[in-house]
Amino acid sequence: MINTSILATGFTAVLPDWVMPFVADYQAPLVTSEDRMALVHALADRNHVAGNGGPFAAVVADPATGEIVSVGVNVVLSSGLSSAHAEVTAISLAQVGLGSWDLAATRPGLELVVNWRPCAMCFGAVLWSGVQRLVVAGDGPDLERLTGFDEGPVVADWAEQLALRGIEVEQDVLRDGAIATYTAYGESQALVYNARRS
Ligand SMILES: [Zn+2]
């Protein structure tokens, strides 16, 4: 017999209360990749100060119109879920909003905009999501150096691997803004929740 009375049967990640009013007041339309990345940076700056999780945010958008389809922030600390990264949150909320696990089948051409190259887990999440474009503020060791997070083993040709699977990549969009966010985070007393290294 296994004691199932102690086993959880579901899990929930929700955006913090400040996110929707913040987005509602944000200047739109967000015509360019830079416009959308500026929103991501603003969300990331607010998120870690508010204590929900790491200094990371993401949006799913339609680059043809600039419409925002979903908004995500890192809610690892507030949800108690290690996988509740900004990318996973934004992708999942887009899928809830559109009612489909395959974004490309439901609404072709959507992009994910995020304030750094996705970590090892989120790289996989992007592949599985149906987004057809990925916009990142930067790549390389600066994120880990400035924040202390361990992003895991991501293949060197990650962008080419995404392109091979029909996901176009745009890099170095408002990179300085990401560096500013990570610098502020690193200088705070914030909890780096996966900093233990063997
Ligand atoms: Zn991640």
Side-chain angles (χ1 to χ4, degrees):
M1 295 277 285
I2 295 171
N3 178 13
T4 57
S5 68
I6 62 167
L7 303 183
T9 59
F11 56 89
T12 304
V14 294
L15 293 177
D17 289 341
W18 59 264
V19 171
M20 283 303 162
F22 184 90
V23 173
D25 285 344
Y26 199 83
Q27 184 74 36
L30 303 177
V31 176
T32 67
S33 297
E34 286 76 13
D35 292 338
R36 298 186 287 278
M37 186 65 77
L39 170 59
V40 167
H41 285 338
L43 288 164
D45 285 339
R46 174 87 180 257
N47 193 57
H48 74 87
V49 173
N52 308 288
F56 308 108
V59 300
V60 173
D62 184 341
T65 63
E67 182 190 347
I68 299 298
V69 174
S70 73
V71 172
V73 293
N74 179 300
V75 290
V76 167
L77 297 179
S78 58
S79 68
L81 299 170
S82 63
S83 58
H85 289 190
E87 297 96 318
V88 170
T89 304
I91 288 167
S92 300
L93 291 174
Q95 291 169 340
V96 169
L98 293 174
S100 172
W101 50 266
D102 185 352
L103 295 174
T106 309
R107 185 153 171 192
L110 294 181
E111 69 179 10
L112 179 72
V113 184
V114 59
N115 59 331
W116 207 251
R117 180 219 65 214
C119 76
M121 174 185 72
C122 292
F123 178 75
V126 169
L127 285 174
W128 286 100
S129 68
V131 298
Q132 293 176 297
R133 208 170 113 80
L134 174 67
V135 181
V136 300
D139 178 24
D142 289 337
L143 184 163
E144 293 179 312
R145 177 176 58 78
L146 291 167
T147 67
F149 284 109
D150 179 355
E151 296 288 292
V154 177
V155 293
D157 63 342
W158 62 273
E160 289 77 13
Q161 290 296 328
L162 291 176
L164 284 172
R165 292 163 174 82
I167 302 170
E168 174 194 348
V169 178
E170 183 178 1
Q171 301 196 51
D172 291 328
V173 175
L174 302 186
R175 183 185 176 100
D176 289 350
I179 296 298
T181 298
Y182 302 143
T183 300
Y185 184 81
E187 290 171 352
S188 73
Q189 297 301 309
L191 172 66
V192 177
Y193 42 75
N194 77 342
R196 60 181 176 276
R197 297 169 193 244
S198 56

